[in-house]
């Protein structure tokens, strides 16, 4: 990424101009930079945006100047296709993503259509709120897709920005559920954070947990955790993969899939794609009620490249956030 001067964008008819206060750093940015996703180019990355409404387009009714709002990965959807009509706007063929198809929040200003911005609960600081908008919202969606019931065992593969929020939702909503956390071997600070947030068991990917998993969420960018999670999944269990793309380098591990060990007994695999507005609208008040305490490591806008390198190395504790203005 290069730092450049650009004109402040003008809000269209139903758009708001947002002065960006903070923007979260997400693994999806690495997928875009490394070519697994194809953004429009040039692009301003960033889809976990917290900012103040600075100016309204002529037909805006939902916000007033000064409101503190969040913008998430969903930047727009058509509103009329079969998927949109059924409440699955995340699957809309016209789905546009913030910081990929439309300019995002690694910037001082951005614009968005008012329907795709949400009021941020007062309880959160700007940098705390940023990771709620992707890591939090998509974590919430992934958890919903597992179908977890209270008292069941949940496995979390990877313990970064999203999983450290998911565990806080689980401990609040499902008090009798045991949560087992799997990290890369030797990821000490992730393991300590997991214990502090109430994990009932912590190990490395590949370890066999004390009980089988009724469901699991994989938030890693690689394949090994998928195979390992299927191995220790309970009969009839479900693995939800929360990743937009997987890296290729450990793909041969899939040849180890053995039908009887990993698949049979009605085990299921489901992916999570994008988010809907209602995911954000349901999750933000819940996050305030719990309240979720995102663990945040702050960077300046000028340090965005370094922040992404640390993220790639698995060295960010909790979630990385760019602090853009006060
Ligand atoms: Zn993201
Ligand atoms: Zn649609």
């Amino acid at each position: 990424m290069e730092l450049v001067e650009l004109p402040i964008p003008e809000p269209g008819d139903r758009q708001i101009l947002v002065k960006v206060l903070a923007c979260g750093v997400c693994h999806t940015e690495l997928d875009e930079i490394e070519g697994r996703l194809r953004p429009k180019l040039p692009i301003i990355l960033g889809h976990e945006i917290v900012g103040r409404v600075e100016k309204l387009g002529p037909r805006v009714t939902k916000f007033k100047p000064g409101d503190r709002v969040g913008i998430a990965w969903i930047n727009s959807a058509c509103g009329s296709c079969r998927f949109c009509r059924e409440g699955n706007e995340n699957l809309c063929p016209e789905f546009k993503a913030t910081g990929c198809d439309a300019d995002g929040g690694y910037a001082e200003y951005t614009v968005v259509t008012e329907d795709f911005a949400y009021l941020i609960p007062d309880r959160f600081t700007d940098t705390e709120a940023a990771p709620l908008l992707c890591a939090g919202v998509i974590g919430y969606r992934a958890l919903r897709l597992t179908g977890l019931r209270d008292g069941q065992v949940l496995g979390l593969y990877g313990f970064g920005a999203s999983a450290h929020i998911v565990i806080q939702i689980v401990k609040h909503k499902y008090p009798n559920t045991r949560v087992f956390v799997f990290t890369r071997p030797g990821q000490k600070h992730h393991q300590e954070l997991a214990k502090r947030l109430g994990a009932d068991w912590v190990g490395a990917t590949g370890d066999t947990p004390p009980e089988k998993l009724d469901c699991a969420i994989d938030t890693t960018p690689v394949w090994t955790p998928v195979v390992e999670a299927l191995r220790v999944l309970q009969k009839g269990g479900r693995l939800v993969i929360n990743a937009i793309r997987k890296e290729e380098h450990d793909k041969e591990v899939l040849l180890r899939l053995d039908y009887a060990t990993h698949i049979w007994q009605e085990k299921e695999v489901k992916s999570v794609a994008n988010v809907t507005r209602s995911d954000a609208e349901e999750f933000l008040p819940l996050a305030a009620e719990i309240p979720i305490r995102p663990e945040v490591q702050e960077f300046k806008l000028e340090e965005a490249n370094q922040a992404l390198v640390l993220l790639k190395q698995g060295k960010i504790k909790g979630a990385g956030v760019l602090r853009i203005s006060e």
Side-chain angles (χ1 to χ4, degrees):
M1 282 180 292
E2 270 177 66
L3 199 60
V4 293
E5 282 295 334
L6 293 170
I8 297 175
E10 270 300 309
D13 240 18
R14 295 195 53 236
Q15 285 190 322
I16 51 176
L17 173 68
V18 174
K19 181 174 166 59
V20 181
L21 300 168
C23 185
V25 172
C26 179
H27 196 277
T28 301
E29 274 93 84
L30 291 172
D31 292 322
E32 295 182 59
I33 291 168
E34 295 177 350
R36 288 177 295 278
L37 275 181
R38 295 298 161 108
K40 81 168 179 81
L41 289 172
I43 181 75
I44 300 172
L45 297 175
H47 55 268
E48 309 182 13
I49 305 170
V50 175
R52 289 229 176 261
V53 177
E54 181 119 329
K55 193 173 167 189
L56 309 178
R59 288 177 53 228
V60 167
T61 56
K62 189 173 158 192
F63 296 110
K64 56 183 190 312
D67 284 345
R68 191 172 64 145
V69 297
I71 304 168
W73 176 248
I74 181 167
N75 197 269
S76 65
C78 81
S80 56
C81 73
R82 181 193 127 194
F83 297 101
C84 283
R85 289 199 315 270
E86 290 171 352
N88 298 320
E89 60 187 2
N90 58 310
L91 304 179
C92 174
E94 300 293 311
F95 184 93
K96 299 261 186 304
T98 310
C100 187
D101 307 305
D103 281 333
Y106 283 28
E108 294 169 287
Y109 291 92
T110 194
V111 290
V112 70
T113 303
E114 60 173 344
D115 298 338
F116 296 88
Y118 322 94
L119 283 175
I120 297 289
D122 290 337
R123 184 184 271 276
F124 300 111
T125 66
D126 304 332
T127 48
E128 281 174 343
L132 300 177
L133 288 154
C134 176
V137 173
I138 200 154
Y140 172 77
R141 183 175 183 87
L143 181 61
R144 199 154 60 71
L145 295 184
T146 63
L148 177 73
R149 297 192 306 276
D150 193 25
Q152 290 189 321
V153 177
L154 173 70
L156 297 176
Y157 282 80
F159 201 74
S162 189
H164 98 282
I165 292 175
V166 169
I167 196 172
Q168 297 178 62
I169 308 173
V170 172
K171 289 287 155 185
H172 177 83
K173 279 183 77 174
Y174 308 103
N176 300 306
T177 277
R178 277 141 302 147
V179 182
F180 298 164
V181 171
F182 304 77
T183 71
R184 293 184 216 178
Q187 246 180 348
K188 277 277 175 314
H189 55 265
H190 286 206
Q191 297 191 341
E192 280 157 20
L193 181 60
K195 282 182 198 148
R196 188 150 58 75
L197 293 174
D200 297 273
W201 176 90
V202 178
T205 296
D207 288 353
T208 300
E211 287 171 75
K212 293 218 161 183
L213 312 174
D214 294 299
C215 40
I217 300 173
D218 165 36
T219 51
T220 73
V222 290
W223 288 103
T224 304
V226 172
V227 176
E228 286 301 329
L230 287 170
R231 182 177 65 84
V232 297
L233 205 58
Q234 183 58 274
K235 297 175 192 181
R238 181 183 288 173
L239 167 64
V240 172
I241 303 177
N242 177 358
I244 189 162
R245 290 292 182 274
K246 285 286 194 188
E247 293 173 10
E248 298 282 309
H249 57 82
D250 69 338
K251 208 173 177 180
E252 329 72 66
V253 78
L254 291 174
L255 294 172
R256 263 198 252 148
L257 277 177
D258 172 66
Y259 184 72
T261 310
H262 298 94
I263 312 275
W264 193 52
Q265 302 285 14
E266 308 198 339
K267 295 180 186 182
E268 287 179 81
V269 181
K270 191 174 178 74
S271 67
V272 188
N274 306 321
V275 289
T276 64
R277 279 171 283 178
S278 58
D279 292 323
E281 283 157 0
E282 285 168 31
F283 171 68
L284 289 170
L286 173 68
E289 176 201 315
I290 291 176
I292 284 174
R293 282 280 157 239
E295 190 87 15
V296 165
Q297 191 173 337
E298 287 189 25
F299 300 87
K300 295 189 198 119
L301 177 58
E302 295 79 1
E303 296 168 332
N305 282 318
Q306 288 112 286
L308 285 169
V309 169
L310 290 175
L311 178 65
K312 188 176 167 74
Q313 294 168 341
K315 287 186 180 161
I316 292 185
K317 196 171 171 184
V321 176
L322 306 180
R323 173 87 233 188
I324 293 174
S325 58
E326 296 291 329

